[in-house]
Amino acid sequence: MFQRRTVLRAAAVTPVVLSPIVLAACSGDEGGGTNPGGGQPQQPEPPKAVLTAEPAVDAKDAPVVKPVTVKVTEGTLTEVKVTNPEGKELEGTLNPEKTVWTSSEQLGYGKSYTYAAKASGSDGKPVELAGKFDTVKPAKVIRATLNPGDDAEVGVGMPISVKFEAAVSDRKAAQAALEVKTSKEVEGGWAWLSDRQVNWRPKEYWPAGTVVEVAAKLYGVDLGKGVYAKADVTTKFKIGRNQVVKVNTPDHVMKVYRDGSEHASYPCSNGKDADPNLNTPNGTLIVMTKEPTSIFDNARYGYTNVKKKWCCRISNHGEFIHENEENRGNIGKANTSHGCVNLLEADAKAYFDSALIGDPVEITGSQASMPTTSDVMDWLLDWKTWQSKSAI
């Protein structure tokens, strides 16, 4: 009885002992224990290297002034090609680590560029980048011009002028792209004289001998309403000696000053005193052009096709300093011109030869003042008014 009970008790507990052994044996049938769930085999590790580009693949309206970059992490670049619509590759360079490629060539407006880049990862696996991006497409492209031009030597009153061939609605953006560097410390500022013209002038006359560099970095700048500049423009010029002309109209004398001292004095005849429409108007003007001969017409006052010599234009209102031998009897005695400063021929030639574009001409003593309607009104405005015309 004892032995039978013992055997039965052993049989009863056998499943409890054997059950985990059987389960353990089943779990080791196939796969060596690497796929305990019995599901799909594990996928291979992805490549470590990651390729990215800026502008991104499929980007639209990408800026044309930022360089194109292709970068790789956890690897090195083995090939980078960025081609324009004509199939020409953009120029560019790799950094020493061969992890970043940067373009060195300007992008064009409204073009599609294609990426083809390859890299090798730190794990030895290759990766590739392909695709396209599109640059901004302007509603209109316009030219901008700069004055003075390269290598010019100009007078101490010469403004810097940027002119656009169409209206600029975002003046702040345009002005932010303009830069002036001077060899001597000069206080000055930009002022918009119209929606197509912005000028820079010093607060006081330029110091003689100043070298001026101007960069209008306008390419790629939205000037408003989708209007973009065709190209950047730059200039480098020099300020000449300090020469200022002063005319107090009742005195019938034109005086030329160099560095503040009287350099020359010429008898003159100015605009008629009695008629404000014919005065030589008050104001600080500049020599705008120098013309060995010029033709004068004013049918309202009874003359056309009148030829005069040694003509220096001082406004777009119609005033010149020029020879007028026909008015010899009044030169130095009476004001009888229609607004110009008349000189004897020898004096006109001497002054003409001494003048630079941008020399100031200060007129005082007249009944009328020069209207601020010309595109060369810079010195007719006081400094506070000038500053108020800045967009920034």
Side-chain angles (χ1 to χ4, degrees), residues 143-148 159-164 174 178 190-192 194 196-200 214-216 218 233:
R143 290 181 67 241
T145 57
L146 250 178
N147 192 54
I160 300 165
S161 184
V162 182
K163 292 185 178 181
F164 301 86
L178 309 178
W190 293 100
W192 288 85
S194 74
R196 297 189 181 196
Q197 179 181 352
V198 58
N199 282 15
W200 192 100
V214 187
L218 295 163
V233 283

Side-chain angles (χ1 to χ4, degrees), residues 326-370:
E326 291 177 289
N327 197 28
R328 171 179 280 271
N330 293 307
I331 289 176
K333 300 174 183 177
N335 290 332
T336 56
S337 82
H338 289 170
C340 292
V341 178
N342 290 178
L343 302 178
L344 300 173
E345 183 173 353
D347 293 343
K349 174 68 163 60
Y351 170 68
F352 183 93
D353 290 343
S354 78
L356 288 176
I357 303 300
D359 281 346
V361 178
E362 301 175 1
I363 310 293
T364 58
S366 295
Q367 296 183 51
S369 294
M370 182 65 67

Side-chain angles (χ1 to χ4, degrees), residues 117-366:
K118 297 179 181 179
S120 177
S122 58
D123 55 3
K125 295 179 181 179
V127 291
E128 296 186 8
L129 174 76
K132 295 184 177 183
F133 70 89
D134 297 330
T135 58
V136 63
K137 186 176 182 179
K140 186 176 184 179
V141 177
I142 63 173
R143 290 181 67 241
T145 57
L146 250 178
N147 192 54
D150 275 326
D151 302 320
E153 183 176 0
V154 297
V156 296
M158 188 69 185
I160 300 165
S161 184
V162 182
K163 292 185 178 181
F164 301 86
E165 65 177 353
V168 173
S169 56
D170 192 342
R171 298 182 182 184
K172 186 175 181 179
Q175 189 176 321
L178 309 178
E179 182 180 73
V180 177
K181 294 181 179 180
T182 58
S183 63
K184 300 180 181 181
E185 187 173 348
V186 181
E187 182 181 357
W190 293 100
W192 288 85
L193 305 187
S194 74
D195 59 7
R196 297 189 181 196
Q197 179 181 352
V198 58
N199 282 15
W200 192 100
R201 55 153 268 211
K203 182 179 180 180
E204 308 293 343
Y205 295 149
W206 292 98
T210 304
V211 176
V212 186
E213 296 182 66
V214 187
K217 300 176 182 179
L218 295 163
Y219 183 76
V221 176
D222 188 344
L223 303 176
K225 300 179 181 179
V227 175
Y228 285 76
K230 184 176 182 180
D232 293 341
V233 283
T234 61
T235 187
K236 183 178 181 179
F237 61 93
K238 182 181 179 181
I239 305 301
R241 79 288 175 271
N242 181 307
Q243 178 165 296
V244 179
V245 169
K246 296 187 178 184
V247 178
N248 186 50
T249 58
D251 297 341
H252 318 304
V253 177
M254 185 180 99
K255 294 184 177 182
V256 181
Y257 291 83
R258 288 273 182 97
D259 298 318
S261 299
E262 188 173 318
H263 174 73
S265 179
Y266 307 114
C268 66
S269 178
N270 308 302
K272 292 181 179 180
D273 296 319
D275 187 347
N277 292 322
L278 296 177
N279 279 187
T280 303
N282 296 320
T284 298
L285 314 175
I286 63 168
V287 175
M288 296 171 58
T289 65
K290 292 176 64 179
E291 305 163 24
T293 60
S294 189
I295 303 298
F296 293 85
D297 294 286
N298 194 328
R300 177 183 175 185
Y301 292 101
Y303 62 92
T304 58
N305 200 34
V306 174
K307 184 178 180 180
K308 296 299 175 185
K309 299 178 182 178
W310 315 120
C311 307
C312 292
R313 178 188 288 273
I314 57 174
S315 83
N316 278 338
H317 188 250
E319 287 73 25
F320 285 74
I321 300 170
H322 65 80
E323 161 276 325
N324 191 356
E325 284 291 335
E326 291 177 289
N327 197 28
R328 171 179 280 271
N330 293 307
I331 289 176
K333 300 174 183 177
N335 290 332
T336 56
S337 82
H338 289 170
C340 292
V341 178
N342 290 178
L343 302 178
L344 300 173
E345 183 173 353
D347 293 343
K349 174 68 163 60
Y351 170 68
F352 183 93
D353 290 343
S354 78
L356 288 176
I357 303 300
D359 281 346
V361 178
E362 301 175 1
I363 310 293
T364 58
S366 295

Side-chain angles (χ1 to χ4, degrees), residues 8-24:
L8 288 173
R9 187 179 290 115
V13 300
T14 296
V16 177
V17 175
L18 292 178
S19 177
I21 297 174
V22 172
L23 289 173

